[in-house]
Every structure is written in C-alpha cells, then in structure tokens.
Amino acid sequence: MEFLGKILLIFFSLIFLIALSLGASYLLPHPFSNINIIFLILIITMMARDSGLVVWISFFIHFFLELYSSTPFGLILFSGTISILVIFWLYKNIFTNRSWYSAMSLSVLALLSYRLIYVLVFTLLQLLGLTNLILKKTTFITFGWEILFTCLITGLIYFILSRFFRSFKASPIEHGLFKV
C-alpha cells in the first residue's frame, strides 16, 4: 500500500509540474515566460536527493509534454531525457560540491545540451523529409532567454533553500572523479 501511495504521489507531482510549467509560460510576462520550470525543478531535485530517479521523472514529464506538442513525436522526449541523463552524469562525476553556482552551471549545461540535441535532431528530421516545420531566428533568441532566466532563477532558489534546509548546504559530493 505504501508503494502505491508513492507511485500516486509521483504521478500527481508530475502532472502538477507540467501544469505549473504550462501555466507559467502563459501567465508570466514575455522574458520571464521563457523560464524552463521543468529543468529548474529537476536540477534542484537532483542536487537535493542525489538520486538517479530524476532521469526517470524527466522521461515521464517529457513524454506527457510530447503528447501536447506540435513537433514530431520523440523530439522533446529524446532531447529532454538525454540532456538530464548527461547532467546527472556530470553531477555525479565532475562537479565536486553542492552550491548555488554549481546549480547555475548545471542549469546552463542542461539547457544547452537540451537545445543542442533538439536542434540537431530537428535538422536531421528536416533533411530526411520527415517534417516541414522550420526553426526561425526568433527561436534561438527564445532559447537564449530561456537559458538566462532559468539559470538565474535556479541559482537564486538553490541559494535560498540552502539557508533553510540541510540537504541543500554547500558540501562536497562523495562520489566524483575529483574526490579529496
């Protein structure tokens, strides 16, 4: 019964996170509407819980987002899941401490890898003739706003949380390549 309760809690948390992300993109004014709340929450959760569960959560969130997307199926799912997997690997093996600037760095790297994979796969689909959608120049400006604001808000939220919760305190990660 406890396992079923955890599954239901995770499922409703995913639905809430998706609704929060979609709602923020419609309700916030222009530059702030580009904040990627999903990556923000995933990075903060990854750093607080220190668990690979965040990759599975990313998979299911991006799967549900894919259902409402106008892009070819799998583009958002693949890009989002692989970028979180790469960031989780970087977090476990390269980054050597938990701090607000590590959170900001992970946020920038996550969104850069997400958008790079997204553009590469999208271009590949265009070359193969599987989509006739076109990436415009304004799309890349939106990507820039997304990286900037998500990075700043992630760092700010992590800094505030580190003042109140022990799991967010700046501390060395015990399992990196550069252990002391």
Side-chain angles (χ1 to χ4, degrees):
M1 193 65 166
E2 183 180 327
F3 179 71
L4 181 62
K6 284 183 182 181
I7 296 292
L8 287 174
L9 178 67
I10 290 172
F11 178 74
F12 287 119
S13 297
L14 294 177
I15 299 300
F16 176 74
L17 183 57
I18 292 168
L20 182 66
S21 177
L22 293 174
S25 68
Y26 286 113
L27 296 176
L28 292 175
H30 167 58
F32 299 106
S33 65
N34 296 316
I35 296 172
N36 194 327
I37 293 177
I38 292 171
F39 275 86
L40 185 147
I41 299 295
L42 287 174
I43 288 170
I44 289 176
T45 303
M46 178 183 63
M47 292 182 78
R49 302 248 346 205
D50 200 25
S51 170
L53 181 64
V54 76
V55 177
W56 286 104
I57 291 171
S58 170
F59 174 80
F60 287 112
I61 286 174
H62 288 103
F63 176 76
F64 288 130
L65 280 177
E66 192 78 64
L67 297 176
Y68 297 105
S69 157
S70 63
T71 60
F73 188 80
L75 183 61
I76 294 172
L77 178 64
F78 179 75
S79 304
T81 305
I82 295 298
S83 64
I84 289 296
L85 183 64
V86 166
I87 292 307
F88 182 68
W89 180 84
L90 286 173
Y91 171 71
K92 287 288 213 181
N93 296 307
I94 303 297
F95 285 87
T96 57
N97 68 358
R98 282 188 196 102
S99 61
W100 61 270
Y101 50 87
S102 290
M104 289 177 71
S105 300
L106 285 171
S107 175
V108 167
L109 291 172
L111 288 170
L112 279 174
S113 64
Y114 173 59
R115 292 306 178 183
L116 181 66
I117 294 169
Y118 182 89
V119 168
L120 289 174
V121 172
F122 192 84
T123 305
L124 180 66
L125 290 174
Q126 282 180 328
L127 291 174
L128 295 174
L130 298 173
T131 184
N132 53 4
L133 298 173
I134 299 171
L135 287 176
K136 298 180 182 177
K137 189 167 90 172
T138 57
T139 306
F140 296 102
I141 294 170
T142 304
F143 292 169
W145 284 116
E146 176 186 35
I147 291 170
L148 176 69
F149 282 116
T150 305
C151 168
L152 292 175
I153 298 298
T154 303
L156 180 66
I157 289 174
Y158 195 87
F159 179 76
I160 291 169
L161 289 174
S162 69
R163 299 295 175 225
F164 296 108
F165 298 103
R166 169 170 257 154
S167 62
F168 290 99
K169 296 284 185 203
S171 63
I173 299 172
E174 302 159 356
H175 36 63
L177 292 176
F178 305 109
K179 290 191 283 189
V180 178

